[in-house]
Amino acid sequence: EAQVTQNPRYLITVTGKKLTVTCSQNMNHEYMSWYRQDPGLGLRQIYYSMNVEVTDKGDVPEGYKVSRKEKRNFPLILESPSPNQTSLYFCASTLAGTGNEQFFGPGTRLTVL
Amino acid sequence: EDQVTQSPEALRLQEGESSSLNCSYTVSGLRGLFWYRQDPGKGPEFLFTLYSAGEEKEKERLKATLTKKESFLHITAPKPEDSATYLCAVQAIRTNAGKSTFGDGTTLTVKP
């Protein structure tokens, strides 16, 4: 089954404790993205990657890091999480080219205390 | 900077009562405009891609249209299962194809 998986699905942590949210896709897509979704602010793109070792900032990259060492994986790293990073996070993947749909993962709900 | 504004923020309809959702956008050269549906607690699901003014696409009770400044998602004779949040997104020609800007969404509730 074609899918994007994220782990963990739920995470409660404390300020400053480094964490990684994993994202994996099995569709051989070139593009992958991370978004955060907050009430009243919609979906905002954090980082995206157009292929292995090629990443670029989205609209809200501060406080986040990403890496793309393999085509199928695109982890999101919060080196020193803060309460304002409490949010619902989505990973997405897309086949390269114009107009192709993004396939979204199920989401990771992160709470930083 | 690319901007996407969706209206209304929330829409309540009776079953069978047709209506439209609006997505106004500001982008320097449109690569594509996308509509997604999002159910509570889930990731968005793709509905349509539109590329140029005058283009229309249909899927069951949904029809998306595009002008140079806005897109409409028309819902004909909606059913309760159409209740969801509908998201609009744009990609600009001047940016990488991986870069997307989303609106805040319209939450549709269809009452039986």
Side-chain angles (χ1 to χ4, degrees), chain A residues 14-42:
Chain A
V14 296
T15 298
K17 186 176 181 182
K18 181 179 179 179
L19 66 92
T20 299
V21 183
T22 65
C23 173
S24 182
Q25 50 96 2
N26 63 0
M27 296 168 279
N28 202 36
H29 286 170
E30 289 80 7
Y31 299 170
M32 296 186 75
S33 289
W34 275 104
Y35 295 87
R36 62 178 290 173
Q37 189 171 39
D38 302 287
L41 295 176

Side-chain angles (χ1 to χ4, degrees), chain A residues 16-70:
Chain A
K17 186 176 181 182
K18 181 179 179 179
L19 66 92
T20 299
V21 183
T22 65
C23 173
S24 182
Q25 50 96 2
N26 63 0
M27 296 168 279
N28 202 36
H29 286 170
E30 289 80 7
Y31 299 170
M32 296 186 75
S33 289
W34 275 104
Y35 295 87
R36 62 178 290 173
Q37 189 171 39
D38 302 287
L41 295 176
L43 264 175
R44 294 179 292 168
Q45 196 170 32
I46 303 170
Y47 271 96
Y48 62 97
S49 169
M50 297 180 73
N51 216 320
V52 175
E53 303 292 2
V54 180
T55 63
D56 204 352
K57 297 177 181 179
D59 293 320
V60 288
E62 296 78 19
Y64 304 94
K65 284 178 60 176
V66 293
S67 66
R68 186 95 181 270
K69 292 182 169 44
E70 303 169 284

Side-chain angles (χ1 to χ4, degrees), chain B residues 39-59:
Chain B
D39 293 306
K42 295 190 174 183
E45 291 184 1
F46 172 78
L47 293 173
F48 305 107
T49 307
L50 302 167
Y51 298 99
S52 57
E55 189 174 1
E56 299 182 352
K57 289 194 176 173
E58 287 188 66
K59 180 180 180 179

Side-chain angles (χ1 to χ4, degrees), chain B residues 53-101:
Chain B
E55 189 174 1
E56 299 182 352
K57 289 194 176 173
E58 287 188 66
K59 180 180 180 179
E60 296 181 356
R61 295 178 292 282
L62 300 177
K63 178 180 178 181
T65 62
L66 182 65
T67 73
K68 289 187 177 180
K69 293 183 178 181
E70 55 193 351
S71 176
F72 292 94
L73 185 65
H74 307 276
I75 303 177
T76 301
K79 298 182 178 182
E81 53 262 42
D82 294 322
S83 297
T85 295
Y86 291 86
L87 300 170
C88 173
V90 297
Q91 289 182 353
I93 290 174
R94 61 173 172 73
T95 62
N96 292 329
K99 177 76 171 66
S100 294
T101 301

